[in-house]
């Protein structure tokens, strides 16, 4: 899996690359929406926290962190609190091995591992351990109290360009 990039960094890249942005970044993305308040299973609002083990990659407050979705040798991108996860989320509402993002001939889907015990929502529908659900562009994935947005291949650019316009102001 590639290195996560703050949305502001991708916005600068889009300004430099122009129409070549999707050529340089041809994959789908998982966008961590830091600072969003998501209710936990107990109805208590929680705030996402940027991983502390990689402070050099931490985005500025409110700057979403974008993970390129490139399946590893296991054919999946693992999301969880475990340091061995592909996307490490330092938040106590997230299981060590919370969910996996997988791809097959039909596209990307979320799979909740059988051992996961925390809440997982995809498109506002709860997934139980062992269940899967197909992803569509722009759908929300909530792992515990952390919200992500799935962006299909070539679909992150409009959001990146919006961020680039805000940077010009």
């Amino acid at each position: 899996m590639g290195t996560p990039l703050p949305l502001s960094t991708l916005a600068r890249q889009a300004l430099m690359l122009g129409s070549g942005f999707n050529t340089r970044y041809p994959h789908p993305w998982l966008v961590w929406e830091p600072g969003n308040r998501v209710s936990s299973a107990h109805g208590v609002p929680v705030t996402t926290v940027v991983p502390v083990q990689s402070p050099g990659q931490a985005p500025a407050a409110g700057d979403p962190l974008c993970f390129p979705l490139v399946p590893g040798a296991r054919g999946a991108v693992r999301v969880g609190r475990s340091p061995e996860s592909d996307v490490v989320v330092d938040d106590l509402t997230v299981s060590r091995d919370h969910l996996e993002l997988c791809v097959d001939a039909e596209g990307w889907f979320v799979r909740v591992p059988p051992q996961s015990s925390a809440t997982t929502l995809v498109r506002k529908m709860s997934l139980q351990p062992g269940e899967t659900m197909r992803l569509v562009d722009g759908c929300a994935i909530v792992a515990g109290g952390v919200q992500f947005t799935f962006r299909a291949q070539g679909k992150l650019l409009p959001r990146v360009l919006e961020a680039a316009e805000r940077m010009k102001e």
Side-chain angles (χ1 to χ4, degrees):
M1 180 151 130
T3 303
L5 297 167
L7 185 65
S8 59
T9 298
L10 290 171
R12 287 190 292 280
Q13 287 284 313
L15 291 173
M16 291 187 307
L17 296 170
S19 61
F21 182 85
N22 282 336
T23 302
R24 170 85 192 267
Y25 300 107
H27 39 266
W29 295 85
L30 185 66
V31 182
W32 183 353
E33 310 289 355
N36 279 354
R37 292 203 170 268
V38 178
S39 293
S40 71
H42 305 290
V44 178
V46 296
T47 303
T48 60
V49 180
V50 176
V52 293
Q53 69 272 20
S54 56
Q57 297 174 354
D63 191 5
L65 192 57
C66 305
F67 295 84
L69 292 180
V70 181
R74 295 174 296 275
V77 175
R78 296 178 310 150
V79 178
R81 224 176 52 242
S82 169
E84 289 82 36
S85 295
D86 299 305
V87 176
V88 178
V89 182
D90 187 20
D91 189 300
L92 293 177
T93 64
V94 175
S95 294
R96 289 183 54 78
D97 299 305
H98 200 101
L99 60 91
E100 295 176 331
L101 300 167
C102 308
V103 65
D104 61 15
E106 296 178 38
W108 285 86
F109 61 95
V110 171
R111 176 175 49 215
V112 178
Q115 71 275 15
S116 181
S117 61
T119 304
T120 301
L121 300 171
V122 179
R123 300 189 326 230
K124 298 183 181 182
M125 293 178 268
S126 180
L127 289 182
Q128 300 306 310
E131 290 186 326
T132 65
M133 184 176 288
R134 289 279 166 199
L135 295 173
V136 296
D137 179 57
C139 74
I141 302 167
V142 178
V146 178
Q147 182 173 325
F148 297 97
T149 303
F150 172 76
R151 288 294 171 185
Q153 184 173 348
K155 300 292 186 176
L156 183 64
L157 185 57
R159 181 153 183 208
V160 168
L161 293 175
E162 286 175 19
E165 284 301 314
R166 283 193 302 275
M167 288 172 57
K168 289 180 186 178
E169 297 172 355

